[in-house]
């Protein structure tokens, strides 16, 4: 139940940030277009509207979206990985190598979360604010410990599920035509027999 709520909150936050950033960018572009029209009354009205904060807000939203989107990518198996060599290993070693990789991912993102939390804590004791929105910068940087903590949890979640079922999450939307017929032995053979650059035939 809690995991479903977490999944829904994660997806809702990402969708909201994407939609909000799109609307803000559209409003900023429309404002710039209308301000350039040779219509005195409309031009005066538009120029009175201050949208200098739009670019900064979009940058902040994209940063938050990237941090939480990375955690979503781990859960869905979207991240790109090269596993040709791993698939050549015996089943026991392949499983051990996969768990090792997931553990490294969890450890790395947990370290980033701890360092980020320390940075946010120190930033919270300053009066530093953003240039246009004048938002306290600790709020902006809060995405680092939160997003990295969630990503670390997702690595552990995927690892636990892999230990139980032997399956990893996979995403089919990025399917490349012909990859199903690709033979890892043939690929490795071509790499091994390829002539070195500059070598004479």
């Amino acid at each position: 139940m809690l995991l479903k709520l977490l999944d829904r909150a994660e997806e809702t936050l990402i969708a909201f940030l994407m939609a909000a950033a799109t609307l803000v960018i559209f409003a900023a572009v429309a404002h710039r277009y209308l301000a350039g029209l040779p219509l005195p009354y409309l031009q005066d009205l538009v120029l009175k509207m201050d949208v200098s904060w739009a670019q900064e807000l979009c940058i902040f939203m994209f940063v938050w979206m990237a941090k939480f989107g990375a955690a979503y990518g781990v859960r869905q198996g979207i991240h790109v990985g090269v596993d040709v060599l791993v698939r050549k290993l015996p089943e026991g070693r392949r499983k051990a190598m996969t768990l090792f990789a997931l553990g490294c991912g969890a450890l790395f993102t947990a370290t980033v979360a701890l360092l980020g939390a320390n940075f946010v804590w120190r930033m919270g004791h300053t009066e530093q604010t953003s240039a246009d929105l004048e938002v306290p910068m600790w709020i902006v940087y809060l995405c680092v410990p939160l997003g990295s903590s969630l990503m670390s949890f997702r690595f552990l979640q995927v690892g636990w599920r892999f230990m139980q079922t032997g399956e990893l999450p996979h995403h089919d939307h990025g399917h490349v035509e012909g990859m199903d017929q690709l033979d890892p032995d043939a690929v490795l053979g071509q790499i091994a027999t390829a002539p070195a650059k500059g070598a004479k035939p």
Side-chain angles (χ1 to χ4, degrees):
M1 182 64 180
L2 289 177
L3 285 177
K4 288 184 178 180
L5 288 175
L6 180 62
D7 294 348
R8 181 60 60 87
E10 180 184 53
E11 294 165 2
T12 302
L13 177 63
I14 295 170
F16 169 77
L17 290 171
M18 289 179 65
T22 302
L23 290 175
V24 170
I25 292 172
F26 173 79
V29 171
H31 178 271
R32 183 175 297 180
Y33 174 76
L34 294 174
L37 292 178
L39 301 172
Y41 296 107
L42 178 63
Q43 204 172 49
D44 292 341
L45 178 64
V46 172
L47 289 176
K48 289 179 181 178
M49 302 177 184
D50 181 20
V51 293
S52 59
W53 48 266
Q55 181 178 358
E56 186 176 81
L57 178 60
C58 283
I59 291 173
F60 292 161
M61 286 193 290
F62 277 119
V63 171
W64 276 71
M65 191 191 317
K67 291 302 296 181
F68 286 90
Y72 176 81
V74 173
R75 176 165 66 94
Q76 295 293 327
I78 295 174
H79 290 291
V80 176
V82 180
D83 61 350
V84 174
L85 296 178
V86 175
R87 286 189 291 171
K88 293 297 297 177
L89 295 173
E91 184 175 352
R93 291 185 180 180
R94 183 168 63 242
K95 186 173 182 179
M97 184 63 70
T98 302
L99 290 173
F100 175 74
L102 292 171
C104 288
L107 178 61
F108 175 77
T109 49
T111 302
V112 173
L114 288 173
L115 294 175
N118 181 55
F119 180 78
V120 169
W121 174 260
R122 288 189 284 110
M123 183 68 67
H125 291 82
T126 68
E127 297 181 359
Q128 185 176 350
T129 59
S130 63
D132 296 321
L133 292 171
E134 297 184 356
V135 175
M137 288 304 296
W138 71 268
I139 295 178
V140 177
Y141 290 121
L142 193 61
C143 67
V144 176
L146 292 180
S148 298
S149 297
L150 182 60
M151 194 172 181
S152 180
F153 171 75
R154 293 303 188 190
F155 274 118
L156 294 174
Q157 183 183 27
V158 170
W160 177 254
R161 190 170 301 164
F162 179 71
M163 288 177 62
Q164 291 181 317
T165 65
E167 295 181 358
L168 291 171
H170 61 280
H171 196 71
D172 293 331
H173 291 255
H175 179 71
V176 179
E177 190 68 30
M179 286 299 289
D180 292 338
Q181 291 78 31
L182 187 64
D183 183 9
D185 289 329
V187 174
L188 293 174
Q190 289 177 1
I191 293 173
T193 58
K197 186 177 180 181
K200 295 181 180 180

